[in-house]
Amino acid sequence: MKYFKFVFAPFYFCVVFLFMCSFCACSKKNFTGRCDSFTFACWNVQTFFDAETDGTEYNDYKNMAKWSKEKYSERLRRLCEVMTTLNPDVFVLEEIENSAVVQDIANSLAGNSWHSKKVWQYACFSKTKGTAIGCAVFSRFALRDMKLHSMLIKSEKKAQPASRPIIQVTVDVNGHNLVLFVNHWKSKSGGAEETEVWRNWQEMILAGRIENIYKADSKSAIIACGDFNRNAADFVCKKSRKGLSNVVLRGSNTLGADGENICAYNPWLDENGKYKYETGSYFYKNSWEYIDNIFCIGNVEISDFRSIAESPWANEDSVPNSYKIYNGKGYSDHLPLFSKLSFLE
């Protein structure tokens, strides 16, 4: 895992493994000067590899007849264009190859802005050694206390597939501490039902980590986001009496594990567990899926939530313009999620 503190100057970066005060573009401040709300985005950017071959890439990206430095540079430019267009205070990206890509993104963003107040000065990245892709966080607020939560399951009859760790990192929103969990759960490759057991285990790990935080501080503000490879309505839906939560992250479940169930709020769903939005985040076999999610737990609420289906990363039907390696066109097969987060106290 890696932290970055970017000190921007035109066309180069400096990586410092320290945390210092930095500017943040808060959506709203209270009378103490602390940020009460900020903007947040999350996006699976679809197999974002650099132009260097280290052996863990997907096969198409090892073929220099299909993949090149020129295609990578152009794809990097497009990604940074979307990031600056959406311009959230915190931006989570899934399917980033390595920390070199994180640094390339930082360099490209620095080249597009001479004003350090407009860029993301903090970032972190992680992936499992020997695997192809990981997750990154870009932030205008300081990041600290990063932890990784991996699973090693030997109680199942079938062997555990390679999996990505859940990233836990604290975002210091000028006096408010937000605990952020970044997820990219097991895909449905191999069959949706056959692979669900591994997503169940990842759900249990996530719920267990959240439970530990609440035991230490019952007023914690927690966000869990990412590509869960599970539709929002396929989580256990349960409305609380106060209407502050609509789903349950299972700590005690059919796997027989000990732990508490975590009540959370998912903005995709209405009070009856039905989708509030026609457009999801992933279009598969001519229908929308809602596998990219943001869950709010505790002392934080979400508003202005939506998937962003705008040109040029989506077509006129709001379907994502997926990246095509053979012609170098497109962006991602997912739509980015955008929202506003506010602290309750």
Side-chain angles (χ1 to χ4, degrees):
M1 61 181 177
K2 289 191 176 182
Y3 283 116
F4 302 88
K5 169 64 170 73
F6 298 113
V7 181
F8 286 98
F11 309 113
Y12 73 93
F13 65 91
C14 177
V15 181
V16 183
F17 295 95
L18 296 171
F19 293 103
M20 301 183 295
C21 295
S22 77
F23 174 90
C24 63
C26 301
S27 300
K28 180 182 177 182
K29 290 186 178 182
N30 62 25
F31 66 91
T32 65
R34 297 202 308 174
C35 291
D36 283 335
S37 62
F38 63 99
T39 51
F40 182 89
C42 179
W43 194 18
N44 181 324
V45 293
Q46 189 195 342
T47 58
F48 208 98
F49 292 99
D50 64 16
E52 303 297 325
T53 302
D54 59 22
T56 60
E57 297 85 359
Y58 297 157
N59 286 335
D60 281 347
Y61 291 88
K62 296 177 183 178
N63 186 340
M64 290 300 102
K66 294 182 178 180
W67 187 234
S68 65
K69 290 184 178 180
E70 291 74 22
K71 284 184 177 180
Y72 171 62
S73 296
E74 174 57 23
R75 196 175 185 201
L76 183 66
R77 184 195 66 78
R78 290 181 208 155
L79 171 61
C80 293
E81 183 179 69
V82 178
M83 292 179 70
T84 54
T85 298
L86 298 181
N87 196 34
D89 296 315
V90 179
F91 209 138
V92 173
L93 302 177
E94 300 100 49
E95 297 204 7
I96 296 292
E97 182 185 11
N98 52 39
S99 59
V101 174
V102 175
Q103 294 166 351
D104 287 344
I105 293 170
N107 274 350
S108 296
L109 291 170
N112 292 332
S113 175
W114 291 83
H115 203 316
S116 65
K117 294 180 179 181
K118 295 182 180 180
V119 297
W120 296 271
Q121 295 190 41
Y122 298 89
C124 64
F125 170 83
S126 181
K127 75 171 184 177
T128 301
K129 184 178 180 180
T131 59
I133 49 178
C135 299
V137 180
F138 287 83
S139 176
R140 291 192 173 108
F141 310 106
L143 303 174
R144 57 179 174 80
D145 300 333
M146 182 178 175
K147 302 179 178 70
L148 302 180
H149 305 293
S150 301
M151 65 179 186
L152 179 61
I153 310 301
K154 296 185 178 181
S155 58
E156 299 294 336
K157 294 181 180 179
K158 47 191 172 184
Q160 176 187 323
S163 62
R164 289 165 285 267
I166 298 172
I167 298 174
Q168 175 186 336
V169 65
T170 297
V171 187
D172 185 354
V173 187
N174 279 20
H176 291 288
N177 288 330
L178 176 79
V179 182
L180 173 63
F181 288 93
V182 179
N183 299 260
H184 190 184
W185 289 5
K186 176 66 181 77
S187 73
K188 296 177 183 177
S189 175
E193 292 184 6
E194 292 80 359
T195 56
E196 183 66 7
V197 62
W198 306 115
R199 290 183 289 278
N200 286 340
W201 277 109
Q202 289 171 305
E203 179 183 4
M204 185 198 71
I205 291 170
L206 175 61
R209 301 291 74 75
I210 294 172
E211 179 189 359
N212 289 344
I213 292 171
Y214 260 105
K215 284 181 177 179
D217 182 1
S218 61
K219 294 184 178 181
S220 296
I222 302 169
I223 292 292
C225 73
D227 180 354
F228 292 82
N229 278 303
R230 179 191 287 169
N231 280 304
D234 291 335
F235 285 85
V236 175
C237 297
K238 183 179 180 181
K239 181 182 177 182
S240 70
R241 284 179 294 178
K242 296 182 180 180
L244 299 178
S245 61
N246 57 4
V247 297
V248 170
L249 299 174
R250 297 167 298 171
S252 300
N253 52 40
T254 55
L255 297 171
D258 294 327
E260 296 294 328
N261 292 330
I262 302 299
C263 294
Y265 178 75
N266 188 317
W268 281 123
L269 304 172
D270 65 18
E271 60 183 9
N272 299 311
K274 305 298 183 181
Y275 292 119
K276 294 190 291 185
Y277 306 92
E278 180 180 349
T279 301
S281 63
Y282 184 66
F283 197 72
Y284 182 66
K285 292 185 177 180
N286 293 318
S287 65
W288 282 108
E289 295 197 356
Y290 301 78
I291 58 177
D292 301 282
N293 288 277
I294 301 174
F295 295 95
C296 292
I297 305 104
N299 190 34
V300 64
E301 65 179 359
I302 190 168
S303 61
D304 194 26
F305 169 84
R306 61 198 186 279
S307 58
I308 307 296
E310 296 180 0
S311 178
W313 61 87
N315 66 21
E316 59 185 9
D317 296 318
S318 298
V319 175
N321 284 325
S322 61
Y323 186 73
K324 305 293 193 301
I325 190 172
Y326 68 90
N327 62 12
K329 295 182 178 181
Y331 287 75
S332 172
D333 52 359
H334 292 243
L335 294 176
L337 303 183
F338 185 91
S339 64
K340 180 179 178 181
L341 300 177
S342 302
F343 295 97
L344 296 176
E345 58 181 72

